[in-house]
Amino acid sequence: MSMLKLGLNQASSDAPEEQRTAQDETPASGGLNTGALAAAPKYGDFIPSMHSNMPLTSPLPPKEPEYAPDASLEEKVVAVLKTCYDPEIPIDIYQLGLIYKVIAPRSPDQPDKVKVLMTLTAPNCPAAQTLPAEAKYKIERLPDVADAEIEITFDPPWTPEKMSEEAKLVLNLV
């Protein structure tokens, strides 16, 4: 009885030196044809990241902030934050209870720098880079804002009780 020997990653000793060297440089895929896998789209092709040139996007269509013409800067910032959505659930970060404080001092000697104190649903939140970056970008697009600072805190930690009643209704938590 003869035994079939498969040497997928081994070069044949009968092959010339050039062929053995080329075969030794095959990827660590077990010698299998990976052409289809190499051509397949990658996860990063669909998900924007801080390291790509893709625009920051929400899972829902873009929404323009709604505020009265005579609204204070804090009200305008809150309206902008209501256009930033958690990527996993269709609720904006303000209604979700991730925004703890909006500080927008208006004094003649200070430019209109806005500071937002926010949290995430968990320290290892997958959107830990994109949510604050999206909020900062959108706040800085307001005509009254010179600069925005987003500070992340986990004290106190976020809990579902921090969500608005509207958000709880959307998630059937009421």
Side-chain angles (χ1 to χ4, degrees):
M1 179 180 214
S2 67
M3 302 204 49
L4 178 62
K5 184 175 180 183
L6 296 175
L8 294 176
N9 282 335
Q10 299 173 353
S12 168
S13 60
D14 303 351
E17 181 66 31
E18 302 99 33
Q19 285 181 339
R20 276 189 276 162
T21 305
Q23 286 179 355
D24 290 343
E25 294 172 4
T26 58
S29 62
L32 302 175
N33 180 0
T34 58
L37 291 176
K42 308 289 184 280
Y43 176 76
D45 295 340
F46 300 105
I47 307 299
S49 74
M50 295 303 295
H51 306 292
S52 73
N53 292 329
M54 296 174 67
L56 298 172
T57 58
S58 294
L60 299 175
K63 181 176 149 186
E64 285 297 316
E66 298 174 6
Y67 50 83
D70 60 339
S72 69
L73 187 55
E74 289 87 358
E75 292 170 331
K76 291 177 183 179
V77 170
V78 167
V80 165
L81 292 172
K82 288 182 178 183
T83 67
C84 300
Y85 287 85
D86 185 288
E88 295 177 348
I89 51 179
I91 299 173
D92 67 76
I93 62 175
Y94 190 80
Q95 297 294 330
L96 197 54
L98 298 180
I99 306 301
Y100 286 166
K101 194 177 214 178
V102 174
I103 306 164
R106 297 202 75 150
S107 63
D109 59 333
Q110 281 187 323
D112 291 327
K113 181 175 180 175
V114 173
K115 183 174 181 179
V116 175
L117 183 64
M118 71 176 284
T119 192
L120 302 167
T121 53
N124 58 350
C125 176
Q129 291 181 349
T130 57
L131 278 179
E134 181 181 5
K136 177 179 173 60
Y137 173 76
K138 288 183 173 182
I139 292 168
E140 287 178 343
R141 290 185 62 208
L142 283 170
D144 300 340
V145 176
D147 187 31
E149 178 187 346
I150 308 294
E151 182 181 335
I152 305 294
T153 184
F154 293 101
D155 186 28
W158 180 86
T159 62
E161 288 79 35
K162 296 193 182 310
M163 293 191 308
S164 69
E165 291 299 317
E166 179 184 327
K168 289 178 183 177
L169 282 172
V170 170
L171 296 176
N172 293 323
L173 295 176
V174 187

